[in-house]
Amino acid sequence: MTTIRLPAGQPPGSVLGAAPDAPEDVEAYLATGGYADATGPDELLGHLAASGLCGRGGAGFPAAVKLRAVRERGGVPVVVANGEEGEPGSVKDRWLLRARPHLVLDGLARAAAVTGAVRGYVYLSDPVAADRVRRALAEREPCLPVEVVETAHTYVAGEESAVVRRIDGGPALPTAKPPRPFERGVGGAPTLVSNVETLARIALIATSPGLRESIARSTLVTLSGGGAAAPVLTEVPYGVPLRVLAAALGVPDAAGALMGGLFGGFVDARALDLPLEPGALTAAGTALGCGAIRFLAAGACPVSTAADAVGHLAAESARQCGVCVSGTAAVRDAVYALATGTAGPDTPVHLDRWSRGLPGRGACGLLDAAAGIAGSLLRSFPEPVRSHLRGPCPGCAAVSSPAGGQGRRLTVAVPEIAGTAVGDGTVPRSPVLKGTP
């Protein structure tokens, strides 16, 4: 079971709140200053720009720039809270919608005020979260019409053009860009598609502008891996070394990690001294992405983890782009051949070529993720790759098929929250995540 842990020295203006294992009703949210009118739209936009708040959906685009682009586009904008979490190792967005829906709705309303939008949507695939959001809307009438739109859970369903397409009544599949949603989105209107954690942080900055830097420079992370270590959802400030997070999870001797869900690729043990900070991670050739980090325990096989990851991506391809269908399948089959000891001596050469040539050729980031996993596996773990050319390791015994389904081994369960009809509804108070600043 995934544990929610309050960090030691919990940052002020925390998205986790004081009681992350219980649903927050409107009275509790109002008691924290939620929905207050103290910060106007223009003032809030200035605070967001000064804070440097970036999106938490994966791309990390500056929030103020995105809001301003929608506002300045003209017309009557639309705002969307994107809670569709496609990464199998991430649970933060579903937890937020289940536990703190008012925080997200507050952020959505403030984004609407900044952009001039007159209608909003909450987009998700989790039925428990959908119920909580609808209850929250019933508890307090929103300042603009808000509709909950449910979709089937897939890897690509949360991509912003897929979000627009689904809200407009079509399938949740990406479209070619341009136009991007801020140019032409829902119903043809300029549309802000914003991750729910980003909106939560916008609401917190509006409520506590004096804490804007702390709020903007803290992030939710989902930590998993490490064999018997139970997954953890927590909040940490930027700058915490990855190695500290691994130790806090219970994997002090981690051999590396799969970063950013499936988008940031692999890093080896040396990279665990990197700080959890988007710029530093990007400069090192990896990414924070959605904040999902899967640590590799000492002795764990990165090749088997890579086989799981690319197998999942190939199975989740939208099958709209021929290069994605063929490219992800080729990467999947090559990594699977390594895992099963059936790879030829030229397999690493093919993987290296694909890792360089495939990114940017699909309509969304799925193909880029598969290529990134292949390239980072070669760079970070060259010796395990070479040893698999001679034969499989015991850790690859679970890699039974290249046809998909491996994503279940990477999937992290959403933390149980009392009163949300998950499990038996009883959730013990979680301990402090020791070792985290």
Side-chain angles (χ1 to χ4, degrees):
M1 182 180 75
T2 303
T3 302
I4 309 170
R5 298 190 190 176
L6 296 175
Q10 187 175 11
S14 169
V15 169
L16 280 179
D21 48 18
E24 183 179 53
D25 62 18
V26 68
E27 288 80 11
Y29 184 62
L30 289 171
T32 68
Y35 293 123
D37 295 328
T39 306
D42 292 337
E43 183 184 4
L44 175 58
L45 188 59
H47 285 305
L48 295 176
S51 74
L53 177 69
C54 291
R56 296 300 196 270
F61 196 76
V65 174
K66 198 170 183 179
L67 285 161
R68 189 175 287 112
V70 173
R71 181 168 77 169
E72 295 177 353
R73 190 67 186 176
V76 182
V78 174
V79 288
V80 180
N82 184 5
E84 172 47 23
E85 208 163 25
E87 292 284 2
S90 181
V91 298
K92 68 183 181 69
D93 295 337
R94 284 167 289 173
W95 170 81
L96 255 174
L97 291 169
R98 292 182 181 192
R100 304 200 71 186
H102 285 288
L103 181 62
V104 175
L105 292 171
D106 192 359
L108 184 67
R110 295 179 190 276
V114 169
T115 60
V118 296
R119 58 194 169 109
Y121 296 86
V122 179
Y123 175 85
L124 41 69
S125 65
D126 177 20
V128 177
D131 178 69
R132 286 291 300 128
V133 171
R134 290 189 176 102
R135 288 176 183 232
L137 289 169
E139 285 180 334
R140 183 183 189 275
E141 185 175 352
C143 60
L144 76 165
V146 175
E147 180 181 344
V148 178
V149 176
E150 296 185 65
T151 189
H153 177 70
T154 67
Y155 189 83
V156 301
E159 194 273 340
E160 63 175 4
S161 66
V163 173
V164 169
R165 195 172 178 184
R166 174 68 185 90
I167 292 174
D168 276 342
L173 297 173
T175 59
K177 276 78 70 179
R180 293 190 176 276
F182 83 91
E183 298 168 310
R184 181 179 175 84
V186 175
T191 300
L192 176 79
V193 180
S194 185
N195 172 262
V196 296
E197 184 188 349
T198 311
L199 293 172
R201 294 191 182 279
I202 288 174
L204 289 171
I205 289 173
T207 301
S208 304
L211 299 175
R212 65 191 186 190
E213 282 79 15
S214 174
I215 294 167
R217 293 187 58 80
S218 298
T219 194
L220 294 177
V221 290
T222 310
L223 310 177
S224 63
V232 165
L233 172 66
T234 190
E235 185 172 14
V236 294
Y238 288 164
V240 176
L242 297 177
R243 194 176 303 280
V244 170
L245 297 180
L249 179 66
V251 196
D253 55 351
L258 180 58
M259 297 291 299
L262 303 182
F263 191 78
F266 287 99
V267 296
D268 62 18
R270 294 170 298 177
L272 298 183
D273 290 320
L274 288 168
L276 187 83
E277 196 280 324
L281 294 174
T282 300
T286 184
L288 176 61
C290 63
I293 305 173
R294 185 174 186 85
F295 290 105
L296 301 174
C301 179
V303 175
S304 64
T305 301
D308 286 343
V310 296
H312 179 70
L313 290 169
E316 289 288 307
S317 170
R319 310 194 73 78
Q320 293 188 126
C321 308
V323 67
C324 179
V325 174
S326 60
T328 55
V331 172
R332 175 200 65 197
D333 292 346
V335 176
Y336 172 75
L338 280 174
T340 56
T342 60
D346 57 349
T347 296
V349 177
H350 293 318
L351 286 172
D352 179 65
R353 185 176 73 250
W354 293 329
S355 72
R356 299 171 189 274
L358 291 177
R361 297 180 63 187
C364 68
L366 186 145
L367 181 60
D368 294 29
I373 288 170
S376 62
L377 175 68
L378 298 176
R379 292 191 301 272
S380 298
F381 299 102
E383 181 50 40
V385 170
R386 283 193 292 268
S387 70
H388 279 73
L389 293 175
R390 299 187 293 269
C393 72
C396 286
V399 181
S400 59
S401 169
Q406 295 94 334
R408 65 182 179 273
R409 290 194 287 270
L410 303 175
T411 299
V412 175
V414 182
E416 293 186 358
I417 300 169
T420 55
V422 181
D424 61 7
T426 57
V427 184
R429 182 71 63 183
S430 302
V432 165
L433 178 58
K434 299 189 181 300
T436 304

